[in-house]
Amino acid sequence: MTRRLAGLVLMLLPALALAQGVAPTLVVTDPSGRSEHLLIQQVAIDVRIVGYLAETRMTLTFANPQGRDLEGDLYFPLPEKATVSGYALDIRGQMVDGVVVEREKARVVFEEIVRQRIDPGLVEWTRGNVFRTRVFPIPSRGTRKVMVRFVSELAGDARGCSYTLPLGFSRPVGEASIRVVVEQEPERPRVERDAGLGLEFGRWKQSWVAEKTVQNVRLEQSLMVALPKGERERVWVERDATSTASRWPRRRR
């Protein structure tokens, strides 16, 4: 299997209203039929704020402690008024991006790929304003990595704008890294809530950056960043067929 399979990793993107305060969960079923939530070995959160928009990329690494390969469903709730902009699954150590297709076409191609015993990914909306993706195989005593990216508009009032990311991880995460970049902002943003991580913004070129990596932490609270009131341009997010997981929102004049 090579990187040419990027076109076979499928994604369904209906309009999503979003759930809050619940962490992503990968659910597997043991031989007795009992459901189990896999532990998250690592979570990496990258946020880039430009104008009134924020793009958030969350990469989750799940660990399988069992002596057999597993299959599971990842349930991923999103913040209010966000829109999914990307999804990727690791295939032989490399993250492979999903491709947006119509629902019926996605299901037909998905079934064809499964019959070939190739590892596909299918993302779809499910009840409770959460989207779901099937993940298999999760290797015996190994890990599997999933990346989800979404775009949201900042909440604003007379005092300024704010970005909020509900976390809600009830169990400790082996390693958590968070990086927030605010571009083209003259005044220093404020970290209102950071789940106890101690994030602080520092100047870097034309941006403000706050980042932290911690071990064995519970991310139970929300991440909230406040931006002072000021003039900022509206921005649009563009993606095309050649986009990769590393592309961020860019300003259009």
Side-chain angles (χ1 to χ4, degrees):
M1 191 156 43
T2 65
R3 285 189 63 81
R4 66 184 177 84
L5 292 180
L8 299 180
V9 181
L10 308 179
M11 180 165 60
L12 294 177
L13 297 178
L16 296 175
L18 305 166
Q20 298 189 39
V22 180
T25 302
L26 182 55
V27 181
V28 298
T29 303
D30 64 20
S32 67
R34 184 179 59 183
S35 295
E36 177 184 355
H37 296 185
L38 288 189
L39 288 174
I40 298 175
Q41 184 180 85
Q42 185 178 43
V43 57
I45 300 170
D46 290 281
V47 182
R48 189 172 294 263
I49 299 172
V50 187
Y52 287 94
L53 289 183
E55 185 174 63
T56 303
R57 180 175 61 189
M58 185 179 294
T59 304
L60 299 152
T61 302
F62 294 91
N64 174 12
Q66 300 189 28
R68 62 185 179 90
D69 290 354
L70 297 175
E71 176 181 333
D73 290 308
L74 174 69
Y75 295 88
F76 197 104
L78 298 165
E80 185 178 358
K81 297 181 180 179
T83 301
V84 174
S85 61
Y87 160 73
L89 190 67
D90 67 318
I91 297 178
R92 293 195 174 183
Q94 296 187 7
M95 298 301 291
V96 179
D97 281 311
V99 177
V100 182
V101 296
E102 295 180 356
R103 179 182 294 272
E104 292 307 316
K105 180 179 178 181
R107 293 195 179 281
V108 171
V109 179
F110 180 83
E111 291 172 2
E112 292 176 354
I113 295 172
V114 171
R115 284 196 292 270
Q116 298 173 39
R117 302 185 66 82
I118 297 173
D119 186 5
L122 180 66
V123 176
E124 59 184 339
W125 177 84
T126 186
R127 187 168 62 90
N129 300 321
V130 176
F131 76 79
R132 180 182 67 190
T133 178
R134 182 183 180 191
V135 180
F136 75 93
I138 309 164
S140 167
R141 295 188 171 85
T143 61
R144 203 68 203 272
K145 187 179 295 186
V146 180
M147 184 280 294
V148 177
R149 185 174 56 250
F150 55 89
V151 178
S152 56
E153 188 168 354
L154 302 184
D157 55 28
R159 295 172 296 177
C161 297
S162 64
Y163 165 86
T164 302
L165 176 64
L167 295 174
F169 290 83
S170 59
R171 296 192 292 179
V173 174
E175 179 180 285
S177 62
I178 297 179
R179 187 172 192 263
V180 183
V181 178
V182 182
E183 295 188 356
Q184 306 296 325
E185 180 67 38
E187 297 185 43
R188 186 190 301 270
R190 301 189 314 275
V191 180
E192 300 288 342
R193 292 197 296 270
D194 66 357
L197 298 179
L199 285 173
E200 293 184 2
F201 278 99
R203 196 69 169 170
W204 183 75
K205 295 184 178 180
Q206 301 300 313
S207 304
W208 296 97
V209 179
E211 55 187 333
K212 193 89 170 187
T213 298
V214 293
Q215 309 291 327
N216 194 32
V217 63
R218 286 180 183 262
L219 300 174
E220 296 179 297
Q221 301 175 7
S222 298
L223 170 66
M224 182 176 178
V225 175
L227 283 70
K229 182 179 178 181
E231 293 296 326
R232 52 175 53 87
E233 297 181 61
R234 293 281 179 176
V235 295
W236 291 262
V237 175
E238 295 179 343
R239 297 192 63 80
D240 56 33
T242 62
S243 298
T244 66
S246 62
R247 180 173 293 183
W248 296 95
R250 61 184 180 183
R251 192 179 305 257
R252 177 190 293 170
R253 297 189 183 279

